[in-house]
Amino acid sequence: MKSILARSLFLLTFIILFSACAEKKKKRVLNLPETDLASENMIPKPLRVIPTNKGFALDKFTTIYTSGNSLGFAEVGEFLAKKIKGKTNLDIPVNVDEVPDQEGIIYINQSDSLELNTPEAYQIYITQDSIILNSNTAEGAFRGIQTLRQIIPETSIDTITEYNVWNIPTGKIIDSPNFEYRGSMLDVARHFFSVKDVKKYIDILAYYKYNVLHLHLSDDQGWRIEIKSWPKLTEIGGSTEVGGKAGGFYTQEEYTEIVNYAAKHHIMIIPEIDMPGHTNAASVSYPILNGNGKTPKLYTGMQVGKSTFDTRKDTVYTFIDDVVREISAITPGPYFHIGGDESHVTKKNDYIYFIEKVEKIVQKHGKRMIGWDEIGQADIDSTSVSHFWSSKKNALDAIKKGMKVIMSPAKKAYLDMQYDSLSKHGLHWAAYIPTDVGYKWTPENYEGIPKENILGIEAPLWSETISNIDELEYLAFPRAIGYSELGWSIEENRDWENYKVRLANQAPFLERMDVKYYPSPLIDWKKSKYSYKEIEKE
Ligand code: ACM
C-alpha cells in the first residue's frame, strides 16, 4: 500500500512539474519528418506495433523519470541514460526535480496493469511530447528500454534547430516474450575467456533481450572456477586449455563480479559442472575421483567421451556436495547445470545411479537440476530440466516425467557449427549452420516436443576452435541475434525476408560495440566500415 501511495505521489509530482514547465513557456513545435514505427529495425520483433507517424524529439531538453527507487526502476532509467549518451552524446538527466527548459519526457513507470501478463511484458506509448514505458517489474522495463535503444535513429537531424534532434517515431508497442527462458551458453572450459570478455558478451545479449547466460565451467581440458575446499581443481585442472596454452579460472570473487554484472542486465547466470563424463581436469587434480581405470593426465586435445568419475565411490559425492554447495552459495538463480552428456565410458546403470544421487545434492543446496538430454534416462524429478541437444527420445522421456525442456538442437542452434565450408572457425559434426538456417526453424514445433513442455531456447557456443573474443564474436554473431527472435517473438511474427532486412540494419550497432561479426553474404549489410574480404584477411 505504502509503495502504491509513494508511486502515485511521485507520478502526481511529475505531472504537476511537467505541466508547470509546459505552461511557463511556449512549447517548441518541431516540424519533424513523418516516421513509421512499424518499419523500425527492432530485433526481436515486438508482439504488436501501432504507428502514429509523428516524431518525438530526443534532444538536450529530454528528461528521464522513473518510478521509485526500491523497485530497480531508477537503475533502468540510469542505464538508458548511459546508453543514450553512448549513441548520441546527449546528457539526459534522470529523476532530477528541477530541469530548466525540460521539454520531452521519458517516463519509466511501474504499472500493475493486468494487460502486462508476464514479468518481462512491457508497453511503450510514444507521443510527440512523451514516451511512457509501463511494466510490472524492473526486468520488464529493462527489456522495454532495449526496444527504445533500437528505435533511436543512428543519425540526428540538424537542419530544423541549431542543436541535434533524434526523431523517434510515435506509436504504441505492446510486447511480451514467447518463451520465459532465452539463453546462450559460453564454454569457458575448452578455452578460457576473461571476465572482460564475458561482460562484453553480456552487453550484446542484453540488447537482444536474452535473460540467461549459461557458463560451461568444467570439462576434460579445464576447470574454471575456484572451489575453496578443493584448491587443486584450479591450480592443476585450470592450468591449461585446448591447444596447450595457459588456461585460467575465475576466483569466486570474479565469478560474483560476472553474476552481478549479468544481474544489472537482468540476465541470470547458470553454472555448469559437467559430470560424470567430461571430468578429466577434475580427475587430474584429484585422481581419487577418476573412474576410467587410467592415470589421468592433463588433456589439451578435442576428443570427447573418455573420462568418467568413479560413480560408486563416496568421496566422489562428498566432492560434488562441496562443489555444488560452494557454487550455489554465490549463484542467486534457481538452476544448477550438471552436464551429464556423452558419458561414454560410464556404464549405463552407474550413470543412472550417479544422476539420481547428484539430483538430490543439487536439491539439497536449493537449486533445480538442469542436465543435457541424456539425464532423461534416469528416474528424476519433474522439477529437473532436460537440455535437449541431440536425442529426441531422451527429451520425450523427460517430458513423460513431467520435466521441462530447453531447446538447443545441435543441428540448428549450436553457435560453434561453421556457417559453411569456408568458415574460419567452428566445427561441422552436427551441420553447417548458415545464418538463414539458424533462423528458419520452429522451436515451438521441433522433433515433436510440445510447446507447453518447452521452457525456452538456448544457443550454446562451444570453444574448441575459438580462443579470443574476436573469434567468439565471429561464431556468435549474427546467429545469436536470430536466436533472440526465436526465443522472444511469436511464430506469426517471424519471417526470414523481413528479419534479414532488420538484421542488415544491426551493423551500425555491432560496429559501435566493436563486435567482429561474420558478415554473412546472405545479408545486405547496412553500409559498413569493413567488407567480408577485409575480415577474412585479419
Ligand atoms: C554436447 O554437445 N555434448 C552437449
Side-chain angles (χ1 to χ4, degrees):
M1 189 58 208
K2 197 163 153 239
S3 92
I4 293 176
L5 201 65
R7 247 184 278 130
S8 315
L9 274 175
F10 188 86
L11 187 57
L12 198 65
T13 319
F14 147 75
I15 292 167
I16 292 168
L17 268 174
F18 185 44
S19 337
C21 287
E23 271 170 24
K24 214 162 42 200
K25 60 188 166 42
K26 214 165 158 45
K27 269 192 86 62
R28 288 174 306 163
V29 181
L30 296 184
N31 208 1
L32 295 174
E34 284 215 347
T35 59
D36 179 11
L37 188 59
S39 53
E40 284 294 312
N41 297 299
M42 293 173 266
I43 299 180
K45 200 174 181 69
L47 193 58
R48 275 179 68 205
V49 176
I50 303 142
T52 51
N53 304 320
K54 300 261 187 318
F56 169 91
L58 175 71
D59 58 24
K60 61 181 180 180
F61 301 117
T62 309
T63 313
I64 296 175
Y65 289 103
T66 71
S67 289
N69 244 336
S70 58
L71 303 159
F73 278 67
E75 288 79 357
V76 173
E78 296 287 354
F79 186 96
L80 177 62
K82 198 165 135 220
K83 296 302 172 185
I84 291 177
K85 170 82 180 167
K87 187 164 182 177
T88 64
N89 206 32
L90 289 169
D91 289 299
I92 307 286
V94 182
N95 292 333
V96 174
D97 279 354
E98 300 268 343
V99 181
D101 299 327
Q102 160 190 292
E103 286 277 356
I105 292 219
I106 301 175
Y107 188 62
I108 304 176
N109 177 44
Q110 202 277 337
S111 156
D112 296 326
S113 162
L114 293 176
E115 273 179 62
L116 298 159
N117 57 356
T118 69
E120 292 179 288
Y122 68 90
Q123 299 188 347
I124 308 180
Y125 302 84
I126 308 166
T127 63
Q128 285 174 288
D129 297 331
S130 67
I131 297 179
I132 298 179
L133 191 164
N134 286 325
S135 172
N136 282 172
T137 66
E139 188 186 2
F142 188 80
R143 304 298 169 227
I145 63 161
Q146 307 315 315
T147 306
L148 268 183
R149 289 172 70 190
Q150 295 189 356
I151 60 174
I152 298 171
E154 286 302 323
T155 47
S156 61
I157 304 172
D158 56 7
T159 48
I160 297 177
T161 52
E162 73 279 12
Y163 51 85
N164 288 326
V165 172
W166 283 260
N167 184 12
I168 298 186
T170 60
K172 186 167 169 181
I173 297 171
I174 297 168
D175 205 6
S176 68
N178 192 26
F179 289 113
E180 70 174 72
Y181 182 113
R182 304 175 308 280
S184 180
M185 185 208 80
L186 186 57
D187 172 7
V188 296
R190 268 50 175 274
H191 281 100
F192 182 64
F193 291 88
S194 67
V195 173
K196 183 164 170 256
D197 292 343
V198 176
K199 285 182 175 175
K200 186 176 177 196
Y201 196 44
I202 289 172
D203 290 340
I204 319 294
L205 295 179
Y207 187 74
Y208 295 106
K209 301 189 174 69
Y210 276 81
N211 62 2
V212 171
L213 176 62
H214 159 194
L215 291 175
H216 182 77
L217 291 165
S218 71
D219 213 301
D220 288 329
Q221 299 88 344
W223 183 284
R224 307 297 181 206
I225 181 155
E226 175 191 23
I227 303 296
K228 293 188 196 284
S229 53
W230 297 77
K232 287 188 199 160
L233 288 169
T234 44
E235 267 166 41
I236 298 172
S239 64
T240 190
E241 61 181 14
V242 166
K245 289 207 176 129
F249 65 90
Y250 307 122
T251 62
Q252 293 199 359
E253 289 67 31
E254 286 167 332
Y255 175 80
T256 300
E257 192 182 329
I258 293 173
V259 165
N260 292 342
Y261 190 81
K264 282 203 181 90
H265 294 74
H266 294 272
I267 286 180
M268 155 171 70
I269 296 293
I270 298 182
E272 177 187 351
I273 296 299
D274 200 350
M275 50 197 172
H278 292 272
T279 44
N280 181 68
S283 290
V284 185
S285 312
Y286 293 99
I288 192 167
L289 304 171
N290 188 32
N292 74 0
K294 300 189 180 135
T295 305
K297 294 197 294 281
L298 287 171
Y299 181 62
T300 59
M302 287 177 22
Q303 289 180 348
V304 297
K306 301 217 160 120
S307 57
T308 182
F309 278 157
D310 183 339
T311 59
R312 300 285 167 174
K313 212 181 256 167
D314 288 346
T315 313
V316 167
Y317 297 100
T318 308
F319 166 82
I320 293 170
D321 193 288
D322 286 336
V323 168
V324 175
R325 174 177 51 76
E326 287 198 32
I327 297 177
S328 296
I330 51 174
T331 304
Y335 298 108
F336 194 103
H337 201 307
I338 61 115
D341 57 319
E342 298 176 311
S343 291
H344 300 324
V345 294
T346 321
K347 290 198 186 81
K348 184 161 179 189
N349 60 346
D350 289 346
Y351 176 83
I352 288 171
Y353 174 80
F354 179 87
I355 298 296
E356 291 169 8
K357 277 187 80 89
V358 171
E359 184 191 52
K360 298 282 175 301
I361 295 173
V362 169
Q363 290 174 347
K364 177 179 142 193
H365 293 294
K367 301 292 178 195
R368 277 176 78 176
M369 180 173 82
I370 305 178
W372 297 104
D373 62 48
E374 288 93 326
I375 66 162
Q377 302 167 85
D379 182 14
I380 48 179
D381 206 73
S382 63
T383 57
S384 291
V385 176
S386 160
H387 194 164
F388 173 65
W389 68 282
S390 164
S391 164
K392 171 181 174 172
K393 179 175 184 310
N394 285 339
L396 293 176
D397 281 350
I399 286 168
K400 280 192 213 126
K401 298 180 195 10
M403 293 165 63
K404 293 266 194 227
V405 179
I406 297 165
M407 298 295 289
S408 295
K411 282 186 270 193
K412 300 289 181 190
Y414 267 27
L415 288 168
D416 63 312
M417 290 298 111
Q418 291 176 300
Y419 294 92
D420 57 34
S421 62
L422 299 174
S423 290
K424 286 193 295 182
H425 309 289
L427 302 168
H428 55 261
W429 57 262
Y432 290 113
I433 309 184
T435 307
D436 55 344
V437 172
Y439 180 86
K440 288 190 211 167
W441 61 286
T442 317
E444 294 88 341
N445 176 23
Y446 188 80
E447 297 280 37
I449 299 168
K451 182 170 183 206
E452 61 267 26
N453 293 91
I454 300 175
L455 193 61
I457 89 161
E458 181 177 303
L461 180 48
W462 301 99
S463 65
E464 284 94 334
T465 66
I466 53 172
S467 61
N468 59 50
I469 184 81
D470 290 359
E471 295 170 0
L472 179 164
E473 289 167 358
Y474 172 93
L475 285 179
F477 302 108
R479 288 179 297 197
I481 301 173
Y483 299 128
S484 83
E485 184 146 304
L486 295 191
W488 180 280
S489 309
I490 57 169
E491 191 181 347
E492 300 89 286
N493 279 346
R494 303 195 307 256
D495 170 67
W496 166 253
E497 292 302 323
N498 177 283
Y499 169 73
K500 79 179 195 192
V501 177
R502 287 178 287 124
L503 179 58
N505 283 282
Q506 302 306 304
F509 167 73
L510 295 171
E511 286 174 13
R512 222 175 29 252
M513 297 295 289
D514 194 27
V515 172
K516 303 285 193 308
Y517 63 96
Y518 162 68
S520 161
L522 301 174
I523 307 299
D524 185 13
W525 295 100
K526 185 166 173 166
K527 200 167 85 48
S528 138
K529 74 173 187 276
Y530 42 60
S531 69
Y532 178 60
K533 280 214 176 73
E534 279 163 354
I535 282 197
E536 282 289 294
K537 271 191 290 179
E538 270 176 12

